[in-house]
Amino acid sequence: MTDATLSVTQSRLETFAREYLNTLGASIRETGPRWHVRLPDHVDVPFIHGREFTVGLGQQPDEHVDGHLLAPDSEFAQQLLEEASSMASVGHVSVSTEEIEEYEYPEWIAASDVRVAGASFTPYYDRNAVVALVKVGVETVSEYQTQFLEAIAIDMSSKQPLPSLADTVLNSFFEPETTSTEPLFESSAESDPLSQVGHDTFSEVIAECQDVAIENLRDSITNIRASASRSADSEFDEYRQLQEQRLSNLKDDLDSVSRRLEKVAEEVEHSDSHQQRVEALQKREELQAEKEDLENKQAEILRKKQTGFEERRREIYNRHSLKIVTAPVVGTVVSYERGEITFQLESERSSDSLQVPYAAGVGTTDNASCNHCQASLSTENHIVIADGIKCRSCSQN
Amino acid sequence: MDEEDLVEVEITHNDFSDLVESFSAGAAEFPFHRQTVVAHRLLSGQPDTELRSLSSVDEEQVKLLEHQVDAAHRALFEMNGKALLADEVGLGKTIEVGMILKEMHYRETDDSVLILTPAQLAKQWQGELREKFGLEFICNYDDEFQGFDAHDHIIASIDTAKSEQYRPVVLTREWDVLVLDEAHYVKNEDTDRYDLINDLTYDYAFFLTATPIQNDLTDLYNIVSLLRPGLFGSRDTFHHYFVETGQDTLVNRDELQQRLQQVMIRNRRAETDIDFTNRRIDTRTFQPSDAERALYNAVTDYVREAYSEDRGQKLVLMMLQKEVVSSPAALEQTIRKQLNEHEELTHRSELEAIQEKIDEIETVTKQERLFDIVDEVRQHVEMGRVIVFTQFRATQQQVLQALEEQGYTTHAFHGGHSSQEKEEIVDQFRQEGGVLVSTDAMSEGRNLQFCNIMVNYDLPWNPMKIEQRIGRIHRIGQKREVFVFNMALEGTIEEYVLDRLYHKIDLFQQTVGELSTILTRLEESGQGFEDEIFERLVDADSEADLENDFEAMAVDLEEQQDLSQKVEQFNTAVFENFDLGVEHD
């Protein structure tokens, strides 16, 4: 999983704001903790009045009553970010080994004692992938809403997720610390690079990104779900105890009514006058009604209790259920090179070379297997050089 | 958890036609697209997890330690502002809360703050937050306190807050922040205190205790459930899952730790950089002169009689008893005041007799012996810096005058100076050396580590004040051994307090913070410490009686100390293998 969120620090905000204002064509004169900004005539920013304004950097708001405050949480920063976030949600970058200078070594080399003496990549063809940022919100009544922003990369032809590519693209192109605003790729001379990519394929891949995002967040979601379930359990337990308490109170009330009924029955029996007898009978009738009412209530609770208060349980658990919403917010079409990489490998005693399918920004693209036994290579079953390149288990046999 | 015990999950994939439309319109220029992506990343990020107020904390007033900064950070940003701060004793939980409140003040999320403490500690909290963090709180013991709906930043004793008079108002308000000191006092769900906290409405809460568990694991369940209801599920679930039936021992430690990590921070002394130098205590008792003895007896008799006949305010009588062992000058001031201000005193003649006895004193023994101490210091310590503490301004004046006459460099420090003047006095003392004679108005935040010798010229009856005095010089950053001299006259109340009480519990060697734990345990039994000393003194019929009374009080103190140490050890054992402190990379 690739967490695309960035914590909002003062320096990141300043880098972002400077770049944003420059992109708009603004000029910035910096004097200490203040920027004096002048916007070009043709630019209209909805939340800024006038062409010239002052921006105070990360100070207490009251020190900048005349200008805008740029600080984490400040209204101005929020407005800038929101404005920029809706500016250009689809773009394109190219990743080639010319920009990505360091090769990625597969885990089955990194985990071994074998040293990479050299590597050379031969690109054969270009492929397209989409790197999408997918917002995932998880909501439940007992927890604060949890927000995730996942970066997902999926190859447009094979529909295979390419987790390393998402990392590469984020780190190389979309870090606010990068000072250059020039794209780090060779601008495509031909027409719109997106025209090579089908509209339907793009939609299909974005939809796939939503599923992958959920899959990537499985552990986090499982934890939130367990926590919400405990809260539900706790609430249900309270309810159950309350019902037990009510049953106990009803029992007391019923005992009391029964005692009073017995007493009234005696009064009916031994009444001295007709009047007294009528009154006692009336009382008995009232008490019987009261008793019946209490018995009904008791029976109702007991009935629910017999089913383990299932209805209420379901209601509570439903209320605590997790609501997950995914929303893809940006899509970057990434052209990347595929080909083969040759690793020059050395161990203490010997050396050899190995060719594997590779892609720029992605790393090795196919699952590699041992040439001798065909077993998959992995961190545990890494390569060794002993009479040629083998897997660890081959070398031990 | 079984699948059937889990709540349902409902997934909705939002429509993304906007994105497809943008795609159809063609790729945007890279700089614009980059801005959009970065903006989304920042919008989804945590709104900044830096303690922005940190730079505005005055390092002269408080030296922040790494574990404290980390705790404040985690409590605020990783625990959503609801945390149990459970550091071991003496690691500065109050400082952690001070930083949290300072940060919240900076971010303007502290419109209403309620700090609930044991009664004995309320004023101390107020002082620390003011001196160290510049945060102003009103305390329910202040004359200006008008009730819980009249102020926005309140420190109050929890028992005042739960009293019938105040409870309804406390519960009606929606507090932004609740701080609960010594949170283990709400461990029991069947108490009014627990109910109060349970019924309070607040957005953020910080509970403090070094010993979340007093008796058994249920204490932990109760405290944590107040902060984060549902974290442990129902009481039955908690017992079923974490407590071994029959033996009441902990099972599933890892799971418990994992859950606790969401809400509890516990730093251990062994893992922090705190390292205090040695402290040496030298208690010196002196034979009073005949005149001093006669004066002491006259005052004590007068106080006993006046108290038994209920003629005279208790506070004034207590003051007289304290002054007589401090200095004749201190006593004289109060006696004169009584004689001058109350024309029709029934006991005028007794007071006049005391006045005569004061006049008969030619040499003040303590003063003479102070010269010995100061002389020794001058010979052995750089610039001969000594701080002499007294409770009374008149004593301070007398001591200063006497020292000056002997040719010592002196400095006076009392509550009447402005902050600027106080700064200057401390600065002069640092540069010139000599003797600083101070009243207890010396604020906690003053940085006096450059001095390592202090003299208790007289002894407060409130042990917290002793701890505060020592804390002025024996604090983090003190590099030398610290010497504490205690002065007392034989056969006086001061000697009893020193010998029978303070030495019994090894008061002068207590770790910072340990004492408050013992005292708040005592407070549970309802009696104030100073009152108790006074009552025992005036009620004793004979010297033997007095000795027995003080012995009983000492036993009580020792028991509380013992209990508090046992509980501390128990908690250490339970949390032994837990990693609930600073995360090390």
Side-chain angles (χ1 to χ4, degrees), chain B residues 112-147:
Chain B
S112 55
V113 182
L114 177 63
I115 300 180
L116 296 176
T117 75
Q120 305 236 22
L121 302 181
K123 292 297 281 180
Q124 194 183 331
W125 266 90
Q126 186 186 32
E128 282 204 44
L129 290 178
R130 178 183 296 136
E131 298 293 340
K132 294 181 175 167
F133 297 97
L135 299 171
E136 287 297 335
F137 276 78
I138 189 137
C139 173
N140 68 296
Y141 298 113
D142 292 341
D143 294 340
E144 301 80 30
F145 181 71
Q146 305 277 325

Side-chain angles (χ1 to χ4, degrees), chain A residues 74-88:
Chain A
S74 77
E75 195 188 348
F76 179 66
Q78 197 66 17
Q79 285 168 329
L80 274 186
L81 289 170
E82 271 164 16
E83 182 70 13
S85 72
S86 59
M87 202 160 53

Side-chain angles (χ1 to χ4, degrees), chain B residues 19 28 87 164 219 232 250 392 455 474-475 568:
Chain B
L19 204 58
D87 289 358
E164 271 181 36
D219 300 345
F232 287 135
L250 175 63
F392 302 103
V455 177
H474 204 194
R475 53 201 299 156
E568 178 77 25

Side-chain angles (χ1 to χ4, degrees), chain A residues 4 19 173 225 324 326 332, chain B residues 7 10 12-13 33-34 41:
Chain A
E19 197 178 312
F173 302 103
R225 191 181 180 197
I324 302 177
T326 72
T332 308
Chain B
V7 296
E10 179 190 314
T12 310
H13 290 312
H33 181 56
R34 175 180 147 78
R41 298 188 71 186

